[in-house]
Amino acid sequence: MLNIYPVYALKDNYIWIIHNQNYAVVVDPGIASPVIEYLELKKLRLSAILNTHHHADHTGGNKELLQSYAVPVYGPRNEFILSMTHPVSEGDQINLQEISLNLAVLDTPGHTRGHIAYFASNPINIVFCGDTLFSCGCGRIFEGTPQQMYQSLQKLSQLPDDTLIYCAHEYTLNNILFAKIVDPENVELIEREITAQKLRHKNIPTIPTPLSLEKKTNPFLRCTQPEIITHVQNNSANFPADPISVFAALRQSKNNF
Ligand code: ZN
Ligand code: FE
């Protein structure tokens, strides 16, 4: 049995610990101490670290973890991460034998230049997508272009509909507030807000979410929907119509939200 446990860390990060009875793999350890605590509590041996991109809130715990556990560190081939031992990019497969999990690497640039995601299709469809696709939102474009980010989101949205999205931040409620401005008539979005509010009141993560729900409610995956295009055009001087321009305008207004 595979468990995927969220360690809530720093301001609003999720560090994902994928584990069976004996071994664990950690995704984006921004800080080491709560990870070590969980590993010791559950008597787990760490067998690998996976990083999606170089930002400190995703890699800051690597060094301390490596002092306790000598494990490989997988990360984006096109980024500099000091402790990385196994640089990977799209087309690479990672066989995590200790937890019987095979991961395919996807290039998802935009948030950062070399950002990658890790996808598994067995036993279930799951993706660890860092700061690319968020629950009802998407990451900021720090190093890449809107076109790159748009294409990365499109790539993720082509995964199987039941893929569970394990993103790296709890931003759902704030993202829904923005989405409601862009897409006010979307009934599923309103329902999603109620569900998410209930979870957060009980301090339960809203992550993971299925890709099918993202496709219905995440405005950044809905840039070809007439209602989204109309909203963006009504709020823009240059009347964007193509999906990438609509996406860029949406991302820009989210930056100012
Ligand atoms: Zn980041
Ligand atoms: Fe982050």
Side-chain angles (χ1 to χ4, degrees):
M1 255 304 280
L2 211 59
N3 240 294
I4 306 179
Y5 180 80
V7 172
Y8 199 62
L10 303 170
K11 197 161 147 267
D12 44 35
N13 281 72
Y14 286 121
I15 301 170
W16 297 107
I17 301 183
I18 318 166
H19 70 91
N20 55 23
Q21 298 278 50
N22 301 309
Y23 291 96
V25 168
V26 63
V27 184
D28 282 348
I31 182 171
S33 50
V35 175
I36 294 172
E37 240 167 70
Y38 185 78
L39 295 176
E40 288 180 351
L41 178 74
K42 296 284 179 182
K43 300 189 168 42
L44 299 168
R45 287 256 299 272
L46 190 67
S47 65
I49 296 172
L50 307 175
N51 293 143
T52 59
H53 64 294
H54 68 86
H55 285 160
D57 63 317
H58 299 252
T59 58
N62 284 6
K63 191 176 163 206
E64 195 183 332
L65 284 171
L66 290 170
Q67 285 164 3
S68 305
Y69 308 91
V71 297
V73 179
Y74 296 87
R77 192 184 300 282
N78 296 319
E79 291 186 2
F80 177 75
I81 297 171
L82 187 62
S83 47
M84 176 162 62
T85 57
H86 290 58
V88 289
S89 56
E90 186 150 328
D92 288 330
Q93 298 272 342
I94 302 170
N95 184 8
L96 300 166
Q97 279 176 358
E98 291 88 346
I99 59 166
S100 308
L101 190 69
N102 246 300
L103 294 171
V105 179
L106 302 172
D107 287 333
T108 52
H111 177 69
T112 59
R113 205 172 309 117
H115 194 296
I116 55 173
Y118 300 93
F119 172 69
S121 57
N122 183 27
I124 53 167
N125 294 315
I126 51 178
V127 68
F128 298 92
C129 54
D131 291 355
T132 307
L133 178 59
F134 284 137
S135 164
C136 215
C138 75
R140 281 178 189 263
I141 301 167
F142 282 125
E143 297 173 9
T145 64
Q147 177 166 359
Q148 281 179 326
M149 189 57 145
Y150 182 77
Q151 284 165 351
S152 295
L153 293 172
Q154 285 299 111
K155 188 184 286 182
L156 292 170
S157 77
Q158 279 152 28
L159 294 173
D161 253 352
D162 62 358
T163 302
L164 295 176
I165 312 294
Y166 287 87
C167 57
H169 290 272
E170 178 62 64
Y171 288 157
T172 307
L173 286 179
N174 186 266
N175 284 342
I176 290 175
L177 285 184
F178 175 77
K180 282 200 313 181
I181 295 170
V182 179
D183 200 6
E185 310 291 328
N186 188 333
V187 177
E188 272 148 325
L189 182 59
I190 309 298
E191 286 170 6
R192 188 173 184 185
E193 183 178 39
I194 296 165
T195 310
Q197 278 170 341
K198 282 184 188 157
L199 290 172
R200 294 312 294 145
H201 280 150
K202 293 187 237 164
N203 220 8
I204 299 171
T206 60
I207 319 295
T209 64
L211 180 58
S212 53
L213 181 62
E214 294 308 321
K215 285 183 179 173
K216 287 183 215 152
T217 54
N218 188 328
F220 297 98
L221 297 184
R222 294 166 53 77
C223 294
T224 57
Q225 293 293 313
E227 58 272 36
I228 306 278
I229 299 172
T230 305
H231 171 88
V232 168
Q233 290 181 340
N234 287 341
N235 290 280
S236 169
N238 56 3
F239 220 68
D242 66 289
I244 293 169
S245 306
V246 169
F247 170 74
L250 266 188
R251 186 56 258 185
Q252 187 57 45
S253 59
K254 179 66 165 60
N255 289 350
N256 306 324
F257 177 64

